Amino acid sequence: GDWVHINTWNLINGNREELHSLAYKHKFEESVQNGINWVWSPKTDERKLALDEIAASVGGYIVSLPKPHKPRFFLQYRNLFDPDGHHLSNAGHNELAEEISSLLDTLQINETPRLGAWDDAGEDVCVSWFRSGNCVLEVHGEGVQMVSWMSNGPAIYNQRKNALSFPFGGDIVINNPTMKTMDLYLDFMAEGPPPGIYPLTEIVIESRGPDQSVILSEPRYIDPTESWRVHVIKPAFINTVLPGEHIVHIRPIEYGKDQPFRITGINL
């Protein structure tokens, strides 16, 4: 049979029941009785492997919430999550806090953990309009506008988000005010699972040479579609830029998506 996410199953099989409700419990138990074989997503193992590798590379530890060996027994763990099934509830946060506290009791804590300055030169430039909706940079392009939306999570997370929307492409003028080359990162909205709501997009940096000739960087392609059920900000390295002014050219190369490409900030 086909893979179906449990949230999708909850939507397409009658009324959408709230995770903590008795109706949800009965609906899930009935699905098990009717022979639905609930399994953990294969990507769960991929994510665990990736996290373990990251932790091992820095001498870190992974702290996780408890879960049953078989998904059909997950109902007793519902209280660890908010009704959206994604964010942690107070009980979930408390459970993690206790796990972290227990881990710290077994470790020797370094009282002076500082390794060095965040940036030896003390220079970086970060511009974000995700929370404020106010972009101080020069922006051009047909139909380009600041869009605003509310998340669908619980009230504590349900804050207004903002992004520049580029339905037909456009430009953002940036400036490297330092005296050295800097890495340019672009923050964009990503969503999943496939097919995704945002288009594959090409990014090119336009700079000026010593004789004022136009220099175009190699194009970078940003795919905003994630494998997981998420709607998040992601950073993408675009190129290194010399001191001075540059133009970021944005061009969607995929059509038929629900939403235009969205940018929430630029960082040097």
Side-chain angles (χ1 to χ4, degrees):
D2 295 330
W3 287 92
V4 177
H5 191 278
I6 192 169
N7 289 343
T8 304
W9 164 84
N10 190 27
L11 285 171
I12 64 178
N13 286 272
N15 295 327
R16 179 184 181 278
E17 306 295 349
E18 192 271 321
L19 177 65
H20 296 152
S21 68
L22 188 61
Y24 185 99
K25 178 177 182 292
H26 290 162
K27 184 177 180 179
F28 183 82
E29 289 174 339
E30 183 178 350
S31 75
V32 174
Q33 293 170 2
N34 290 337
I36 291 183
N37 181 31
W38 291 104
V39 297
W40 299 117
S41 167
K43 292 190 178 296
T44 302
D45 292 334
E46 296 176 16
R47 180 172 59 181
K48 182 180 184 306
L49 179 62
L51 290 174
D52 287 343
E53 290 178 352
I54 293 171
S57 70
V58 296
Y61 297 83
I62 301 297
V63 176
S64 303
L65 288 172
K67 74 172 187 179
H69 178 64
K70 295 184 178 181
R72 69 172 182 264
F73 300 120
F74 95 98
L75 288 173
Q76 61 183 307
Y77 299 88
R78 288 177 298 163
N79 68 311
L80 300 178
F81 295 91
D82 271 323
D84 65 358
H86 176 70
H87 296 97
L88 295 184
S89 64
N90 288 339
H93 282 288
N94 289 337
E95 179 73 28
L96 274 184
E98 291 177 5
E99 291 289 333
I100 294 171
S101 178
S102 297
L103 175 63
L104 293 178
D105 287 341
T106 66
L107 300 176
Q108 182 176 356
I109 304 301
N110 185 354
E111 299 294 340
T112 56
R114 183 180 177 88
L115 299 178
W118 174 258
D119 186 327
D120 291 336
E123 296 171 326
D124 58 53
V125 180
C126 301
V127 183
S128 173
W129 45 90
F130 182 64
R131 293 295 188 195
S132 69
N134 179 33
C135 176
V136 298
L137 303 177
E138 185 180 339
V139 181
H140 306 280
E142 180 184 355
V144 175
Q145 62 177 330
M146 186 71 69
V147 296
S148 182
W149 71 98
M150 298 289 285
S151 66
N152 295 322
I156 188 174
Y157 305 106
N158 201 11
Q159 299 175 336
R160 188 162 294 279
K161 278 81 171 174
N162 305 277
L164 282 172
S165 177
F166 292 82
F168 307 105
D171 309 311
I172 301 178
V173 181
I174 65 160
N175 180 57
N176 176 2
T178 73
M179 298 302 294
K180 64 178 184 179
T181 59
M182 300 282 280
D183 290 339
L184 170 64
Y185 288 82
L186 184 150
D187 295 335
F188 63 97
M189 292 303 302
E191 189 269 350
I197 62 175
Y198 300 118
L200 181 69
T201 299
E202 177 189 82
I203 308 293
V204 173
I205 307 299
E206 177 183 331
S207 306
R208 295 284 177 173
D211 59 353
Q212 294 304 302
S213 60
V214 174
I215 301 174
L216 298 178
S217 70
E218 289 292 323
R220 299 277 184 173
Y221 296 95
I222 297 177
D223 185 355
T225 300
E226 294 292 302
S227 300
W228 296 90
R229 184 173 300 277
V230 294
H231 194 195
V232 295
I233 297 175
K234 286 192 70 177
F237 171 72
I238 305 302
N239 214 321
T240 57
V241 294
L242 294 168
E245 188 174 273
H246 306 270
I247 302 175
V248 180
H249 295 294
I250 300 107
R251 184 174 72 94
I253 59 174
E254 188 178 18
Y255 299 94
K257 293 293 187 174
D258 291 345
Q259 298 293 336
F261 188 68
R262 290 179 178 177
I263 298 176
T264 64
I266 288 183
N267 308 302
L268 292 173

